[in-house]
Amino acid sequence: MYRPRPEMSRERVVFDSTLRSRLGALGQNDAVVFICDSQATIDSLQPFEAEFPQVLMTAIITNPRPFKGKVGSTPFDLQWETPDQWEQMQTTDRWTRIDTALQIGSGISQSGYLLMPAHDAVWGKTLLSQLEHYSHHYAKNNLPAAVSPYTYYQHSAVEGANIPADVIHLMNTALSRDTWFRWKIRRDRVQAFWGKMSMTPFGMCGAIRASSEQTLWEDDLDIDRIIRELNFGVRCLWVDDPQIYRQAPPVFDRAGVRKVIERTLHYSLHIPDERVGGSSLNVPLDWLGRLRQMISPRFRGYNSDAEKLIAECANEIGKRLENYGASWVDWGRYRYVARVRDPVVEIWRRKVESEDLI
């Protein structure tokens, strides 16, 4: 939890609904640790403790630490506003909380799982039992597999939030342009551990933490690599039914979809490919996708709109790369800096904000 429970009505409806779905899927043998940025965030979550008395809940405060080495001149090199008012951080906000979660998981000797869901993960009542069964089916090296669900529904309606259907369809189309992705997941041809929702046996947590490269942006991709190198099991379960698993981010308009696309394109700048920033977002449709475009007017319309947004973001990133050799995106309180074919991401925060968090 990197900020307090939202105060704006639509954002609060989405936040509350997704969190309730996850807490409601837990039982008396489960516990929740809210890893928060501040006491204000902890206080804002207190109503859920009373609402779900069957689940043990606790909270701790964890934030990225200032950079340990020689601080770079990035804010000046990239000509940011007030460049002297930026502080470089050691890790991303996500890595900081993941590291804390892995530390907690590694200290538990009994059997069980560490679950790390994103804010927009929506759980149905049977999701965890299905994942647990899947985990045991792909057990390896004396441990159940680490498992994640994956869904086409990376945006969905939330009762009372009034999210326009066009926005939901646009985002789902933009993020599902690889028509073979479902097949690749079932054949274990792509990443299987996903940050949107992961379920990792306690017995893996210490080894993952010890091997993690926490200077990388794509934490889930690195954890996927580590699990495979350690010869443990890792699998992804494609979920067709949105009542079992879906995602519902606080994205309410085209501008919100654009921000998701912009951030996603930055993830792939480090890939050593001929096409800079190559990802499933900005590669041409394959033959199956082209066929789908021919026979489905709905897909054709939303895909055309998605391609325009993707091209806009890619062009902006391309201009920054041409001018500065780097690009950046703001995410929460932090600014992430990515460079072509460099897997390491730089993290910066305004100094006035860091003082507010103390």
Side-chain angles (χ1 to χ4, degrees):
M1 297 290 175
Y2 58 91
R3 62 181 179 183
R5 180 186 180 204
E7 294 183 356
M8 299 291 289
S9 58
R10 285 202 300 181
E11 286 82 353
R12 172 166 284 199
V13 168
V14 172
F15 179 90
D16 288 1
S17 177
T18 57
L19 181 54
R20 283 194 179 102
S21 79
R22 301 192 298 273
L23 295 177
L26 302 176
Q28 293 183 349
N29 293 326
D30 301 316
V32 175
V33 181
F34 290 115
I35 305 174
C36 302
D37 68 316
S38 65
Q39 186 61 47
T41 296
I42 294 175
D43 293 342
S44 74
L45 298 171
Q46 294 226 337
F48 295 98
E49 189 170 5
E51 189 174 343
F52 296 91
Q54 80 279 13
V55 181
L56 174 65
M57 297 187 195
T58 188
I60 55 177
I61 296 175
T62 302
N63 286 298
R65 297 181 179 276
F67 190 70
K68 292 180 181 178
K70 183 180 179 181
V71 176
S73 57
T74 296
F76 293 90
D77 298 339
L78 304 186
Q79 299 181 14
W80 290 350
E81 66 280 14
T82 57
D84 59 330
Q85 292 300 310
W86 293 85
E87 177 185 22
Q88 189 172 0
M89 312 308 294
Q90 189 70 22
T91 61
T92 68
D93 191 36
R94 277 175 53 92
W95 260 126
T96 301
R97 305 193 199 292
I98 289 171
D99 182 72
T100 300
L102 290 172
Q103 184 179 19
I104 293 170
S106 65
I108 301 175
S109 57
Q110 66 192 64
S111 62
Y113 294 90
L114 172 70
L115 283 74
M116 294 190 289
H119 282 196
D120 51 4
V122 181
W123 298 355
K125 293 292 185 181
T126 64
L127 175 66
L128 299 186
S129 60
Q130 289 187 31
L131 287 175
E132 187 173 11
H133 175 79
Y134 204 63
S135 170
H136 284 280
H137 181 75
Y138 287 99
K140 190 176 181 181
N141 201 8
N142 298 318
L143 274 178
V147 291
S148 292
Y150 197 94
T151 177
Y152 166 81
Y153 301 98
Q154 298 188 48
H155 200 357
S156 59
V158 174
E159 185 177 355
N162 299 318
I163 305 172
D166 282 353
V167 171
I168 293 172
H169 294 320
L170 175 60
M171 183 162 159
N172 284 332
T173 302
L175 298 178
S176 302
R177 287 169 43 79
D178 184 350
T179 50
W180 292 99
F181 202 69
R182 175 176 179 166
W183 178 85
K184 292 174 183 176
I185 281 179
R186 289 184 169 172
R187 295 283 182 172
D188 197 29
R189 300 289 182 87
V190 290
Q191 176 181 339
F193 185 97
W194 293 94
K196 289 293 184 181
M197 166 57 193
S198 56
M199 187 165 159
T200 306
F202 293 138
M204 286 188 199
C205 292
I208 292 172
R209 184 173 184 244
S211 303
S212 61
E213 294 286 345
Q214 297 189 13
T215 57
L216 308 182
W217 192 345
E218 288 192 273
D219 43 72
D220 50 1
L221 184 60
D222 189 47
I223 292 173
D224 185 274
R225 172 192 64 81
I226 292 167
I227 294 172
R228 296 179 189 276
E229 290 182 355
L230 293 172
N231 200 33
F232 290 125
V234 58
R235 295 290 297 200
C236 185
L237 174 66
W238 182 279
V239 180
D240 277 313
D241 187 348
Q243 298 303 312
I244 295 175
Y245 175 68
R246 60 189 173 90
Q247 292 160 26
V251 174
F252 306 102
D253 51 30
R254 181 186 173 94
V257 177
R258 193 181 192 282
K259 287 181 179 180
V260 173
I261 290 172
E262 180 187 21
R263 190 166 64 231
T264 304
L265 287 174
H266 278 87
Y267 290 158
S268 55
L269 286 182
H270 70 278
I271 298 174
D273 199 318
E274 293 179 2
R275 185 184 182 92
V276 172
S279 79
S280 61
L281 281 175
N282 59 4
V283 297
L285 291 174
D286 56 28
W287 68 268
L288 190 58
R290 294 194 298 273
L291 176 62
R292 185 182 176 195
Q293 189 167 238
M294 289 175 59
I295 64 178
S296 172
R298 179 172 131 167
F299 176 77
R300 184 164 60 247
Y302 286 119
N303 183 64
S304 175
D305 202 9
E307 287 184 342
K308 290 176 184 176
L309 282 179
I310 293 166
E312 288 175 12
C313 293
N315 288 337
E316 286 187 10
I317 293 171
K319 288 178 182 178
R320 283 178 171 174
L321 294 175
E322 184 178 348
N323 292 332
Y324 304 108
S327 186
W328 59 92
V329 63
D330 292 336
W331 193 357
R333 296 177 182 266
Y334 302 90
R335 180 164 288 183
Y336 291 55
V337 181
R339 293 178 172 83
V340 176
R341 299 184 179 92
D342 185 354
V344 175
V345 62
E346 281 186 24
I347 310 299
W348 295 80
R349 181 173 64 185
R350 291 183 185 275
K351 290 181 180 178
V352 290
E353 292 186 352
S354 64
E355 291 169 1
D356 290 343
L357 290 176
I358 296 175

